[in-house]
């Protein structure tokens, strides 16, 4: 069966520091991968999605970036965090050419101080 | 423009009572529709999905949803709510050809003992 992992689970970082969040999917090949952010009391905002290695689309202009170094690994990064980057970050995957349903990881709670 | 509306931000029901959460969408083609549940501090879990066929779909945890094309709605129902159903519920539409979702803003459910 497929599983999705995210780490770290919780992160507290000062303003201006770098960020690296990791997402890994097991049990499937060539998944579509997604990064979402959920600010406190708000809905989900799609940040990036990827339909393959070197195929990453950015949905919202921001100081975040995403990379996909391996087929089932998706990294969310920032060179300098802002206070507004605080939130709950969710990674998700879906089957390429499949029926669209997305499966979510457990999330990373990021607090920028 | 494509959109998903969940008109109720908060809903409170008593344990054992029936539940209906509303979802309205605006989408030109036949939509792929989803309901997710999110417990505090956790990722999203897929409750059910509609792609085609029978307009009444059954999901996990005793939930069901009915697709009504004429009303552009996909409301989630449960005949008898349990205290463990307290969570936030998100409706989503899959955007054809993109593997992306449009999410509603969510409905937070509170269950009274």
């Amino acid at each position: 069966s497929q599983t999705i992992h995210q780490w770290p689970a919780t992160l507290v970082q000062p303003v201006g520091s770098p960020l690296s969040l990791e997402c890994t999917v097991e049990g499937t090949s060539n998944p579509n991968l997604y990064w979402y952010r959920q600010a406190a009391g708000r809905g989900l905002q799609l940040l990036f999605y990827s339909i393959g290695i070197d195929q990453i689309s950015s949905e919202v202009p921001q100081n975040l970036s995403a990379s996909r170094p391996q087929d089932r690994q998706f990294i969310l990064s920032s060179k300098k965090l802002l206070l507004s980057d605080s939130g709950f970050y969710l990674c998700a995957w879906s089957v390429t050419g499949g029926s669209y349903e997305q499966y979510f990881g457990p999330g990373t709670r990021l607090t920028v101080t | 423009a494509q959109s998903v509306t969940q008109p109720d931000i908060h809903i409170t029901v008593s344990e054992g009572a029936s539940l209906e959460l509303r979802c309205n969408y605006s989408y030109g083609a036949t939509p792929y529709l989803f309901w997710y549940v999110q417990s505090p501090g956790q990722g999203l879990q897929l409750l059910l999905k509609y792609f085609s066929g029978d307009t009444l779909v059954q999901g996990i945890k005793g939930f069901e949803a009915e697709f009504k094309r004429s009303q552009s709605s996909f409301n989630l129902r449960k005949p008898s709510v349990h205290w463990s159903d307290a969570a936030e519920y998100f409706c989503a539409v899959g955007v054809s050809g993109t593997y992306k979702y449009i999410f509603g803003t969510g409905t937070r459910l509170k269950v009274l003992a």
Side-chain angles (χ1 to χ4, degrees):
Chain A
S1 64
Q2 301 88 3
T3 56
I4 179 169
H5 303 280
Q6 287 186 245
W7 60 88
T10 304
L11 191 60
V12 181
Q13 292 284 93
V15 169
S17 64
L19 173 73
S20 181
L21 302 182
E22 187 168 345
C23 171
T24 301
V25 180
E26 297 177 353
T28 187
S29 297
N30 193 30
N32 300 317
L33 295 170
Y34 310 81
W35 277 112
Y36 289 88
R37 177 170 59 202
Q38 193 173 26
R42 303 184 65 178
L44 290 98
Q45 179 185 37
L46 179 62
L47 302 175
F48 300 93
Y49 76 100
S50 171
I51 60 172
I53 289 179
D54 298 326
Q55 293 180 281
I56 299 172
S57 298
S58 174
E59 292 293 297
V60 182
Q62 59 217 324
N63 72 320
L64 299 171
S65 62
S67 61
R68 187 168 175 172
Q70 300 179 41
D71 178 48
R72 292 170 291 172
Q73 186 183 30
F74 207 23
I75 307 292
L76 183 69
S77 304
S78 174
K79 292 181 179 179
K80 289 185 177 182
L81 283 168
L82 307 173
L83 284 174
S84 58
D85 291 323
S86 292
F88 192 53
Y89 288 81
L90 288 159
C91 182
W93 71 274
S94 67
V95 175
T96 301
S99 52
Y100 285 83
E101 59 255 48
Q102 294 180 20
Y103 299 95
F104 285 79
T108 295
R109 172 73 59 193
L110 172 65
T111 303
V112 182
T113 60
Chain B
Q2 300 153 351
S3 65
V4 176
T5 301
Q6 293 182 247
D8 303 305
I9 298 174
H10 297 279
I11 282 186
T12 300
V13 299
S14 298
E15 191 170 20
S18 63
L19 172 70
E20 183 169 29
L21 303 182
R22 296 183 289 165
C23 173
N24 294 97
Y25 66 90
S26 174
Y27 189 72
T30 299
Y32 298 149
L33 295 161
F34 307 87
W35 274 101
Y36 285 84
V37 60
Q38 184 182 32
S39 297
Q42 298 187 22
L44 277 71
Q45 182 182 21
L46 179 65
L47 284 175
L48 47 78
K49 59 192 178 188
Y50 171 80
F51 297 145
S52 64
D54 193 347
T55 56
L56 182 64
V57 293
Q58 303 296 320
I60 62 171
K61 302 186 178 188
F63 285 92
E64 67 178 27
E66 186 171 12
F67 170 60
K68 293 185 177 180
R69 184 186 301 275
S70 62
Q71 298 179 21
S72 297
S73 69
F74 188 56
N75 293 349
L76 182 71
R77 301 193 295 245
K78 187 170 185 178
S80 178
V81 170
H82 188 263
W83 64 266
S84 60
D85 293 323
E88 188 151 25
Y89 291 80
F90 291 94
C91 180
V93 171
V95 181
S96 178
T98 71
Y99 300 110
K100 295 192 292 183
Y101 280 176
I102 299 171
F103 273 99
T105 51
T107 298
R108 186 169 298 277
L109 173 66
K110 181 177 179 180
V111 180
L112 300 177

